[in-house]
Amino acid sequence: MEGRNEKRRSALFSGKMDMEDMENVLALYRDLFQLNEMDPPLDRPPRELAEKEVRMRLAEGFTLVDPEEILPDGPELAIRIRDVLKILQRHSEDPDSLTGDLKDLIDQPGRLDLLVGTFLREGEESVRKSLASMKDVNPEVAIFVLFNALKVPFLGAARRCRGIDTTAWEKGSCPVCGGEPAVACLIGEGGKRFLICFRCETRWRYRRMACPYCGHEDPKESVFLYSEDADHGALSASVCGQCLSYIKGWRVEGEDPGELCPEIEDLKTPGFDRAVQEEGYLRGAPNVFGLWIGSPDEEAPDRD
Ligand SMILES: [Zn+2]
Ligand SMILES: [Zn+2]
């Protein structure tokens, strides 16, 4: 679907940030976007998914792809890590320290494999814990670089699954890879809600009022916070009274999302995240480049 990529590209390259002093972060996203565009996933034959298996997996809550199956092998992963690191260095005030941050890891493929396994099975909090003992590795840099080094294989998996009907899937996590939703999109009058995976960027339908992160649903308590910025009138955040997380959503009139790419608009609206976080809520998942941007204590990983 080249059309979708073109839309995403023009949304990212024509836009600006909704808050000051973030231009460098936008430039970082643009470079990462171009890297992913330039570097399509190696064509490994997809595992055949028979129609019956697809139906069974979706109905029983198993993702279409097991993330560990699409992992690049050691040498490919190392190349991808270096590519992402190079981009991060271009936007860093202290590029040399970044190499130091990761050198120990890149030089020890065994350790890297373990870490990637932990990342995919248990998530970034576990990576943070297991890196806490390596004093020369900055966990935030490592997580950012790993996430983006794995981006292309995930996008490839999503592309292979794009034609599959996932309406039987009922979870708040991605039917393709199990990732959490970065953002939501509300389409039409009744507001059908679609979520977009922060990892493989697949869209899938989800209950309109439920929290995708904890499943809590109570229409009486459902709270939306709206952007006060006139440029972002269609933007709101749906907040959960149970787990206190929020998800940003874009409302689209009519049935066709048209030019709108919520996952890209998300990158350009960190100011709105900050406003919602000041109300006491936390993002439920990072953005599509793996950053929890907008959090008061976590900007780009190269900030200090
Ligand atoms: Zn996914
Ligand atoms: Zn929740």
Side-chain angles (χ1 to χ4, degrees):
M1 272 230 281
E2 295 316 310
R4 184 173 173 199
N5 204 48
E6 269 316 303
K7 279 191 234 169
R8 299 171 72 244
R9 161 173 266 285
S10 82
L12 185 60
F13 284 80
S14 65
K16 61 177 180 40
M17 292 298 215
D18 71 344
M19 62 187 281
E20 309 264 295
D21 298 326
M22 295 289 280
E23 295 317 310
N24 193 29
V25 179
L26 186 56
L28 171 67
Y29 294 150
R30 287 173 177 166
D31 281 357
L32 289 169
F33 184 88
Q34 275 174 315
L35 174 69
N36 296 341
E37 240 182 358
M38 233 169 49
D39 183 25
L42 296 183
D43 248 331
R44 56 172 70 74
R47 196 169 66 85
E48 278 303 319
L49 273 177
E51 205 186 312
K52 193 168 147 218
E53 190 188 352
V54 166
R55 248 183 294 130
M56 193 271 300
R57 291 184 82 96
L58 292 173
E60 294 186 7
F62 295 106
T63 56
L64 293 173
V65 168
D66 173 355
E68 289 183 68
E69 268 176 29
I70 56 164
L71 265 193
D73 59 19
E76 186 192 333
L77 182 61
I79 292 171
R80 293 192 183 282
I81 287 179
R82 288 205 176 85
D83 285 346
V84 174
L85 193 55
K86 246 184 265 164
I87 288 178
L88 188 55
Q89 284 175 320
R90 232 185 283 158
H91 298 278
S92 168
E93 283 162 19
D94 187 5
D96 294 337
S97 79
L98 288 174
T99 328
D101 282 338
L102 286 182
K103 190 169 183 319
D104 283 358
L105 273 184
I106 296 176
D107 292 348
Q108 300 178 49
R111 192 145 202 186
L112 189 58
D113 278 355
L114 276 179
L115 198 68
V116 171
T118 306
F119 194 21
L120 294 178
R121 276 189 304 273
E122 298 165 35
E124 61 174 70
E125 209 35 58
S126 298
V127 172
R128 247 176 226 117
K129 275 194 202 116
S130 67
L131 287 176
S133 60
M134 294 179 76
K135 65 175 183 336
D136 292 332
V137 179
N138 176 337
E140 298 321 311
V141 172
I143 288 169
F144 174 82
V145 171
L146 268 187
F147 178 86
N148 284 288
L150 295 172
K151 190 75 188 179
V152 165
F154 274 105
L155 292 175
R159 195 157 50 201
R160 291 196 295 273
C161 293
R162 205 160 281 162
I164 296 176
D165 175 0
T166 59
T167 41
W169 184 257
E170 295 183 342
K171 292 191 180 183
S173 56
C174 171
V176 171
C177 79
E180 324 260 48
V183 285
C185 185
L186 300 149
I187 295 178
E189 260 311 295
K192 273 184 228 152
R193 179 156 79 153
F194 292 84
L195 305 178
I196 298 170
C197 175
F198 85 111
R199 209 153 58 173
C200 77
E201 302 176 24
T202 290
R203 287 184 187 211
W204 74 100
R205 177 113 185 239
Y206 189 62
R207 283 173 289 152
R208 203 162 76 87
M209 294 298 191
C211 168
Y213 305 111
C214 76
H216 180 68
E217 180 168 14
D218 184 350
K220 286 198 297 291
E221 306 178 351
S222 105
V223 177
F224 286 89
L225 303 175
Y226 292 90
S227 172
E228 285 167 11
D229 187 334
D231 290 343
H232 300 285
L235 167 60
S236 65
S238 157
V239 307
C240 175
Q242 185 81 16
C243 70
L244 301 183
S245 55
Y246 71 91
I247 183 164
K248 287 155 83 178
W250 277 259
R251 183 172 296 283
V252 179
E253 306 294 335
E255 292 293 317
D256 178 13
E259 297 303 305
L260 187 81
C261 303
E263 70 277 28
I264 301 294
E265 298 307 318
D266 179 34
L267 304 172
K268 300 188 290 186
T269 48
F272 182 63
D273 283 274
R274 184 157 294 183
V276 176
Q277 288 166 18
E278 280 166 3
E279 301 292 317
Y281 300 98
L282 292 168
R283 261 188 90 104
N287 67 29
V288 291
F289 290 116
L291 291 181
W292 299 87
I293 209 87
S295 320
D297 52 352
E298 277 181 42
E299 295 288 313
D302 60 338
R303 194 168 67 151
D304 49 19

